[in-house]
Structure formats: structure tokens, C-alpha cells
Amino acid sequence: MKDAVKNVVEGKIGYKLAAKSFSVPQTTLESLDKNDPITVKFKVPLGPKEKVFTDNEEEELCKYIIDMESRLYGLTMKDLRGLVYRLAVKNNKRHPFKNEKEEAGKDWALGFLKRHPELSIRQPESTSSARAAGFNKQVVDQFFNFLGNVYDEHHLTPDRIYNCDETGISVVPKTKSKIIARKGRKQVGAITSAERGTTITVEICFSASGNFMPPMMVYPRKRMDPQLMINAAPGAWGVCSDSGWMTSELFLDWFKKFVKFSGATPEHSVLLLLDGHSTHTKNIDLINEARTHGVIILCFPPHTTHRLQVADVAYMRPLSTYYDHQIMAWLRSNPGMTVTVRQVAEIFGKAFIQASTMSTAVNGFKKCGIWPYDPTVFSETDFAPFLMIDIQLNVSDAPASDNSSLIMESSSTEPATNNQNAPIISEAISVAATLTDAAVTPVTVETETLSRLDTAASISASTSLSTNLVTALTVLPNTMSTPEPGCSYWLDNSDLHERPRTPQQSIFGVVSPQQIMPFPATTKTSRSTRKRGKTAVITSSPYKNELEETIKKKEQAEEDKQRKKGLRELKKSEKDPATKKKRVTKKKQGAKNRSLNENSDSDIENTPCLYCKGLYLDSNEGWAACSACGKWAHCSCAGVDDEDADTVFTCEHCEQS
């Protein structure tokens, strides 16, 4: 026993090998009294293994993971294992992780998920940066202000509130349902009609009361074939376009049927919610038709339909799933055959009937906060992705509205008192302090800047803060006088003081999770692009006038472009005598050629004179063409020598312009 204890104390062998080598009981060897002079008591933990982190530390790590996911930068299992390893190493934690891989084990990660059931592994949906920047509190509040004003003015009911949207279907469905297969098989397939299919656009529309309008299907064809709509959904109809996409003319035709379906009249107004596609918002004929029949058209803000449009939120996914089920059912019933555009209407009709339920429509409008009206349906967590993009909002580009319009700028509130300013200043300082943690180059705040804030007078002039704090302190006084309506700065301002931002605030002793993997922050660079859309009631007078003015400017710009093009061609022709001679004069023709022209149906050869309106076939003299507009005139009327082929003629109208 003494020899065994000696070898164990010196670290030559362990308990198990010492017990076997010296033939002593291992339990006795492990439980010797520490007061015994021949040995030292070794502490052997009983029960499960020791935790790497405490419960509070794991709770902070859990909140950090949720914050990252809400900002659209969720962690994968590999990211989590790497983060946990670095946390353990930098905070001097005893851990069983392997240093070679520099990450925690799979068992620890799975155990962490079991200990925190609020976490789960999910398949994320792709969300563009434009959607992350577009869906923010200020824009959404403006939309709900427009919506609330429409409700108050027209006293709408659920059966008079509609949402319409387009979706694309194909003989190859976009969504594939999961199937049962042998476990461990590397690749699982399912039969389809083709590698790629022709896209057919379908217009969907339904009300907040669950009333669905029959769909319109747009086929990529020159002429519509009635056989394509055999066994289609009841009331559905088909049209065609060159590309298979929606056009302004087709949407206007659909809108006329929508007016009949909804029963809209000037005395019985109907609200139609739609996205900002050009076929909806740049269509003057549509606006005139809607104003005539009392249809109020409200456009969603750009890049927000994934949260605000009912069709995208609640309807399109089940419709796509049911369509895939019907495609597979048809292929099983017709082995060896493929689905073509002639079967799409029948298959889609069955899926449309399955997906078009009253509960889907009612719950969808409720989920988006449109009906029942709920402007607080979105929490601060929903606006968290906007925090990652440093962009200056400009949602007040709409012109001032009259009494009949709902296009308005965000109304400013009354100036805040000094007592109300204090929380704002404190929050701005907290915001900038957090941004300082993300390795932002510190700068020195001047005393003059700090003196502009009464509540910040006690801050030292040499305090080192981030550039973002300087900006916040500079803009803040103006914000106090006319504060902007609610703007999202944090994930949840209510428990801002509870969220660790620095080592002093974190439960971790040395390094917090956010210091190891900071919240990503990107800057949106300014560049010259086309004018962005906006949320607006497009049937209102200011929007209609603005659209007409925009169309007029486009037409004028196109005319100027064509005029400049003509001038460039003129200058080019002046350098080429052959081209100049060809452009200027039209020589006399013999009686034989003139008689042939008289029997011709072409109106081009029988051109009227620009001045006397005499026809070319009735004259016997030469003609000259204007070098700018291309119109023809008698040489005598134009004052041009009939025999001079080098003369360049320009009419008085073009010279004045």
C-alpha cells in the first residue's frame, strides 16, 4: 500500500494501475485519510462531471445566441462549439475540450441545447440586406398610420379589406415535401416532369373575412388557348403575355373584375392592399379606375412584404406545398407521362381549393396586424436586423397631402421637457458605449460638444468615446426639440441594463461572448440609384398628381433624347456628301412611276407638304426633307433650289425649337 501511494503521489501512475500493480483495493487507495503521513488525500468528484460554466454564465450565453439570431446572424453548431472553447480558455475555466480542434465537443453542445429548451436548431430563410434595412420601426409605424386613417375615414369591415399578390408556378414545383427513405442513404430523389419548367403567373386575392377571389393565370403565349383552362378552379380565367409575367394592361383587366367581385362603389368603399410593383403603382389607368369605383389602394413599404403582406406571410407557402402534393399525385396516377402547361390549370385548381380556407385568411390578417388593427403586433426583436445597417431613414419624401389624401409626413410630437430628455441622453450614451466594444477607434470628445447637453455637463472633457457617440451627442439636441416618431435602437430597451456589454457588466470574469464574437455592424454606402418606392395610398390626389408629373417628365426626357439623336445624325450626314444628297431632295418621277404609286396602298409615298398640304403624287416639282424632323415640303414652299442637291433644309418649327 505504501509503494502504491508513493507512485500515485509522485504522479508516476494512476489509481487503477497502482491498484493492479501492487494488488491493493482501488477504493481504499482513493479514500486514504489525508492526515496519514504516508499519503495525500486526492479529491475525487462524485456523481456527474463538473460544469464548465455556471448556470448564470450559460444563461448569458443563451441570451447572446438569441440576440445574434434575431439580427439574422445566427450561430451554427460549429460556431457555438468554437465560441464556447474560446470562452473557456480566455476565462481560465477547467474544461474537457480538445485543444487540437479548439472547439467544444458535440456532446457538450447537445447537452447545452437540452439544458436550454428555448433553443433549437432551425433552417433559416434567406433574407436580403434590403429587407433587413427596409423593415424598421419608423417605416412600419408610418404604414399603420396610413392604415388607421383609412379605417377611421371609411369605417371598413373585414369583408371590405383585400390583399392581392402574384405568385409563379411551374410544371416543376418550387417546394418539395419530405419523404420516407432508408436511413443513411446519401441521396434521395423524386421524379419531376423536367429539369426546368415554364413559369406561369397567378394573381391571388382574398379578404380579411376569408372570401377568396377566383385566380387569374397568365401564360407565356402570344394567343390564349381555351383548352389550357380545362378543369381549372371554379371561376378562374386565363390570359397571356409574351413573358408570362404580369403587365399593367393585364392587371387593369384583373382589377375591373375585382371591382365586380368586391362590389365596390363610391358609397361602399373597399380597401385593396398590394406591393409596390410597377404594374400596381405606376399605372394611371388603374388609379383612375379605382377612384371611379371607390377602391382605396394602399401600397406596402418597399422590402417589407415578407412581414406585412398577408399573402406572403400566411398563404403562399401552404399553396406551394399543396401544389407539390397534387403534382406528385398526378405523376403517380399517370406513370411515364410528364406534366405540361395543359395540365397546370387543373392541378393548380385542386391545390387552390385546398389552401383557400377561411382560417388561413383570417389568421394571416391577424398575424400582420392589419385586421384586427394592431400597430404593436411587431416587437423590438422583429426590428433587430435593422440594427446591423447604419442607414439614414427618409420616409417623408411624399408631398404634402390635402384633406382627401392620406399621404403625409410623419407628424412630430411636442418638444420634450428636460425631465424627458434625461432618459434619451442616457440611452444614447449607452448605445455609443456598446458600439465602443466592437473595436471602434476611439476619439476625444471636445468640451464644446459636451456642453450642449445639460445633463451631460458632468462628463469629463477627456472622456474617450467612439465616433458614434460624438454623432449621437451632436444630433441629440435637435432631436430633443422635435423628436422623430419611434425609432428602433436596441433589441429590447426594457432590459437594456441587464444585457452585458463590457467585462464589468458580464457575468464572465474576463471576456464576454460579445467581445469574442461582436454583433456585426455594416455601413450602407450612399450611391446614385433610382428613386425608392414608399408606402402611400396611391388612389389619393397627391400621389396621382405626382405620378402624372413623373410620367410627363419621362416623356419629355424621351423626346429630348430623340431630338438630340436626330441632331447627331444630322451632323454626321453633313460630313458625308452622299448621305446629304440623299436626305435633302426628292427628285421628279416619270408618269409611269407616278401611276404605279397611285395604285399603291402605301401612305408613305403620298406625303403631304409641310406648308401647303399638297400631296406628293399631285405635284410635278421637287421636294425637300427637313434635316431635323424629317417632314417633307415642296422646294418652292421651302425656298430651296430644286437643282441644288447640297442644300440642307431645316423648317421654321425646328429652328424655333
Side-chain angles (χ1 to χ4, degrees), residues 444-453 456 469-471 473-474 477:
T444 303
V445 180
E446 300 293 340
T447 307
E448 297 178 359
T449 304
L450 297 177
S451 62
R452 298 175 62 184
L453 300 176
L469 177 57
V470 177
T471 305
L473 295 176
T474 305

Side-chain angles (χ1 to χ4, degrees), residues 483-498:
E484 292 291 334
C487 181
S488 175
Y489 287 102
W490 289 107
L491 177 64
D492 190 357
N493 293 333
S494 61
D495 62 343
L496 181 63
H497 62 284
E498 299 178 0

Side-chain angles (χ1 to χ4, degrees), residues 574-600:
E574 291 176 353
K575 299 178 182 179
D576 187 359
T579 305
K580 184 192 305 183
K581 183 177 181 180
K582 183 178 180 181
R583 288 175 57 89
V584 172
T585 61
K586 209 177 194 181
K587 294 299 180 180
K588 302 175 184 178
Q589 296 184 2
K592 182 178 180 180
N593 293 336
R594 193 176 304 281
S595 62
L596 293 176
N597 289 333
E598 291 175 355
N599 297 329
S600 175

Side-chain angles (χ1 to χ4, degrees), residues 56-76 79-80 82-84 86-87 112 116 118-119 491 498-501 506 508 512-520:
N56 292 334
E57 289 173 340
E58 286 197 357
E59 188 65 27
E60 179 180 331
L61 178 60
C62 179
K63 288 183 178 180
Y64 168 79
I65 295 173
I66 294 176
D67 285 355
M68 287 289 285
E69 181 274 326
S70 64
R71 287 164 167 80
L72 305 182
Y73 288 93
L75 274 64
T76 63
D79 295 335
L80 173 62
L83 173 63
V84 168
R86 284 180 284 172
L87 274 177
F112 177 78
H116 298 276
E118 64 270 25
L119 300 178
L491 177 64
E498 299 178 0
R499 297 188 179 271
R501 304 301 178 192
S506 175
F508 290 89
S512 66
Q514 185 175 339
Q515 288 179 296
I516 295 178
M517 191 178 294
F519 291 142

Side-chain angles (χ1 to χ4, degrees), residues 350-474:
K350 296 178 181 179
F352 176 79
I353 294 174
Q354 282 184 289
S356 303
T357 62
M358 181 181 292
S359 60
T360 299
V362 172
N363 293 332
F365 275 88
K366 182 178 180 181
K367 177 71 174 178
C368 297
I370 296 177
W371 188 270
Y373 180 71
D374 184 10
T376 62
V377 67
F378 300 107
S379 63
E380 295 295 333
T381 304
D382 298 320
F383 302 120
F386 177 70
L387 303 177
M388 298 298 100
I389 300 179
D390 183 13
I391 178 175
Q392 184 177 3
L393 295 179
N394 185 18
V395 297
S396 300
D397 344 357
S401 60
D402 56 14
N403 296 333
S404 63
S405 171
L406 290 174
I407 303 180
M408 61 191 72
E409 296 184 355
S410 300
S411 59
S412 59
T413 58
E414 295 296 330
T417 62
N418 293 335
N419 294 335
Q420 294 173 336
N421 292 338
I424 301 176
I425 300 171
S426 176
E427 180 177 345
I429 296 175
S430 300
V431 171
T434 301
L435 295 173
T436 309
D437 295 340
V440 180
T441 304
V443 297
T444 303
V445 180
E446 300 293 340
T447 307
E448 297 178 359
T449 304
L450 297 177
S451 62
R452 298 175 62 184
L453 300 176
D454 296 337
T455 59
S458 60
I459 301 179
S460 173
S462 61
T463 303
S464 178
L465 295 176
S466 67
T467 307
N468 301 74
L469 177 57
V470 177
T471 305
L473 295 176
T474 305

